[in-house]
């Protein structure tokens, strides 16, 4: 199950990879522009490394998934391709393929197993994927969501700012604002 979850995590995030790369580039450009006025090089370098790491993770994961999907398409298994790349619904895939939607669900499960096998065969088993992506909260939150779903639990996420200063504290020497794009999530699982 662990192997399946990590590899399914890459599939579930597939449609967001391009968007996240663009967001990271835009955040990086804003950070550089703001640093011209702030002269805080330590913050700039730290954020540069974070943005580049996230961007690199997304590009790497997209290439891994693309390679496996290409092999599946060549073996006439393209439900995953239609669902994840083309963003078609299962009903649309059934109409396009001219088969019953139940057959699409059965074939989907088989293709997920083939996808996991292909990634493992290429050297991307759960251990390698976990080592590569567990440091990125984007991948971890998607993984925990799948894990909770597989265990029959519901996940609630509360977001709190990474940096919080009590605005009622009159003696605070620091800025009393929240850092906008830097939230930490607290995950609560309910049976």
């Amino acid at each position: 199950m662990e192997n399946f979850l990590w590899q399914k995590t890459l599939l579930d995030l597939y449609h967001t990879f391009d968007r996240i790369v663009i967001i990271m580039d835009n955040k990086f450009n804003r950070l550089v522009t703001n640093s011209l006025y702030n002269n805080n090089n330590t913050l700039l370098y730290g954020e540069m490394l974070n943005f580049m790491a996230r961007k690199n993770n997304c590009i790497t994961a997209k290439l891994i998934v693309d390679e496996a999907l290409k092999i599946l398409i060549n073996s006439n298994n393209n439900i995953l391709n239609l669902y994840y790349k083309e963003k078609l619904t299962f009903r649309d895939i059934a109409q396009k393929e001219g088969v019953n939607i139940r057959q699409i669900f059965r074939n989907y499960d088989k293709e997920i197993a083939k996808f996991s096998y292909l990634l493992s065969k290429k050297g991307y088993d759960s251990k390698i994927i976990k080592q590569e992506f567990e440091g990125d909260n984007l991948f971890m939150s998607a993984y925990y969501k799948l894990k909770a779903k597989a265990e029959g639990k519901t996940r609630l996420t509360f977001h709190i700012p990474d940096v919080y200063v009590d605005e009622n504290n009159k003696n605070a020497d620091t800025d009393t604002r929240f850092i906008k794009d830097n939230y930490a999530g607290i995950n609560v699982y309910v049976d």
Side-chain angles (χ1 to χ4, degrees), residues 81-100:
N81 183 56
L82 293 172
Y83 187 71
Y84 288 103
K85 279 182 110 172
E86 306 293 327
K87 299 180 185 175
L88 295 178
T89 64
F90 288 119
R91 185 171 308 223
D92 293 338
I93 295 170
Q95 289 174 351
K96 184 175 182 170
E97 298 290 321
V99 296
N100 188 336

Side-chain angles (χ1 to χ4, degrees), residues 6-164:
W6 276 105
Q7 293 165 346
K8 181 88 168 63
T9 298
L10 296 182
L11 269 176
D12 283 355
L13 289 173
Y14 182 81
H15 70 280
T16 63
F17 291 144
D18 291 333
R19 186 173 43 156
I20 290 171
V21 167
I22 292 168
I23 289 169
M24 290 299 107
D25 284 340
N26 290 338
K27 282 185 174 185
F28 179 77
N29 291 337
R30 277 185 289 173
L31 183 67
V32 169
T33 302
N34 289 340
S35 72
L36 295 173
Y37 303 108
N38 295 341
N39 294 330
N40 190 347
N41 290 335
T42 306
L43 174 67
L44 176 64
Y45 294 140
E47 291 299 313
M48 274 178 24
L49 291 174
N50 290 338
F51 293 159
M52 290 296 129
R54 163 89 34 101
K55 185 176 172 181
N56 184 45
N57 284 343
C58 289
I59 291 170
T60 302
K62 187 173 189 318
L63 290 173
I64 291 169
V65 172
D66 278 339
E67 185 177 336
L69 288 178
K70 186 176 179 181
I71 294 170
L72 284 173
I73 291 170
N74 291 339
S75 64
N76 293 326
N77 295 300
N78 67 344
I79 292 174
L80 292 181
N81 183 56
L82 293 172
Y83 187 71
Y84 288 103
K85 279 182 110 172
E86 306 293 327
K87 299 180 185 175
L88 295 178
T89 64
F90 288 119
R91 185 171 308 223
D92 293 338
I93 295 170
Q95 289 174 351
K96 184 175 182 170
E97 298 290 321
V99 296
N100 188 336
I101 195 165
R102 287 185 185 171
Q103 185 65 37
I104 295 297
F105 286 126
R106 283 191 292 268
N107 289 347
Y108 173 81
D109 290 338
K110 290 176 186 175
E111 283 191 33
I112 290 285
K114 286 179 186 177
F115 178 80
S116 293
Y117 171 75
L118 285 172
L119 288 186
S120 295
K121 188 177 173 183
K122 292 279 186 184
Y124 299 112
D125 61 355
S126 63
K127 183 179 177 184
I128 299 298
I129 293 173
K130 183 178 179 181
Q131 285 175 352
E132 185 71 28
F133 301 112
E134 76 178 337
D136 192 332
N137 62 1
L138 171 75
F139 290 89
M140 290 306 295
S141 64
Y143 170 77
Y144 286 131
K145 179 181 175 184
L146 282 174
K147 187 175 180 179
K149 196 186 256 187
E151 293 173 351
K153 297 179 180 179
T154 304
R155 185 183 108 201
L156 305 171
T157 303
F158 301 96
H159 294 284
I160 58 171
D162 276 347
V163 176
Y164 173 76

